Amino acid sequence: EVQLVESGGGLVQPGRSLRLSCAASGFTFDDYAMHWVRQAPGKGLEWVSGISWNSGSTGYADSVKGRFTISRDNAKNSLYLQMNSLRAEDTALYYCAKGIFGVPTGAFDIWGQGTMVTVSS
Amino acid sequence: EIVMTQSPATLSVSPGERATLSCRASQSVSSNLAWYQQKPGQAPRLLIYGASTRATGIPARFSGSGSGTEFTLTISSLQSEDFAVYYCQQYNNWPPCTFGQGTKLEIK
């Protein structure tokens, strides 16, 4: 079964850090780009970051650039998002999503169930 | 950054009828557009990519059309399970890829 399982969310104070993980199974992980997409409570979808199959290309939304870092470990079939200097506006459900191509320019055909990040003092 | 604008914000349609959802890009995205369906408490599901290609397992009542800046998602005969929020997404200019604000399809 094709599956993405996120972990690492939780309650964190403003200015602190958090690292999200996404474990992939059921497909050849290192063939595809991967992304993080977030959804604030009651709001729409916001793309956060993406990475190509070989980590050669990464991209970030302006809202997180310089604070968040995406990475992947193809040997472990895992995707990560290091989130530093967290702000209240980063509060959201964070989804891991699989791209349909190895490069990040493409739709997202598999999504995890998300991990909730709450930034509050 | 390309801005995606969806209309209407809410669409009320009766089961069995046709629903037409629109998405407009602030500049051309060619055919690099996807549609997603999201039900409450669930992750989004890919319906259409490349503006008109149905994703695996998506029923034929879902169809996409358009190119450039104007796109349409049509659901030919609404089933009860189709009432949800629908998002369009452009991936022509990356980064970033951008989503529309969503259209809520509700039962009339």
Side-chain angles (χ1 to χ4, degrees), chain B residues 61-77:
Chain B
R61 65 179 182 273
F62 291 90
S63 63
S65 63
S67 65
T69 62
E70 300 284 343
F71 300 88
T72 300
L73 175 70
T74 301
I75 311 171
S76 59
S77 179

Side-chain angles (χ1 to χ4, degrees), chain A residues 4 16-17 22 25-28 30 35 52-53 55 64 66 68 79-80 87 93 96 107 112 116 118 120:
Chain A
L4 297 171
R16 303 297 291 264
S17 298
C22 172
S25 59
F27 65 97
T28 306
D30 54 12
H35 299 265
S52 63
W53 67 278
S55 303
V64 307
F68 289 12
L79 176 73
Y80 306 101
R87 306 168 180 167
L93 184 64
C96 167
M116 186 68 200
T118 303
S120 175

Side-chain angles (χ1 to χ4, degrees), chain A residues 10-119:
Chain A
L11 174 64
V12 61
Q13 294 179 328
R16 303 297 291 264
S17 298
L18 208 57
R19 188 194 196 206
L20 305 184
S21 299
C22 172
S25 59
F27 65 97
T28 306
F29 182 72
D30 54 12
D31 277 351
Y32 297 98
M34 296 294 296
H35 299 265
W36 290 99
V37 177
R38 68 185 180 184
Q39 188 169 35
K43 303 298 184 181
L45 302 172
E46 180 189 15
W47 175 81
V48 173
S49 183
I51 187 168
S52 63
W53 67 278
N54 64 352
S55 303
S57 179
T58 59
Y60 300 91
D62 285 347
S63 58
V64 307
K65 199 172 296 182
R67 300 187 298 123
F68 289 12
T69 302
I70 192 171
S71 62
R72 64 190 295 162
D73 185 337
N74 287 344
K76 295 183 177 180
N77 289 348
S78 293
L79 176 73
Y80 306 101
L81 186 68
Q82 178 66 42
M83 305 186 295
N84 298 333
S85 303
L86 282 161
R87 306 168 180 167
E89 54 265 36
D90 295 319
T91 294
L93 184 64
Y94 283 72
Y95 292 105
C96 167
K98 169 188 168 291
I100 61 173
F101 303 127
V103 294
T105 50
F108 308 159
D109 62 344
I110 304 296
W111 296 64
Q113 286 304 302
T115 187
M116 186 68 200
V117 173
T118 303
V119 184

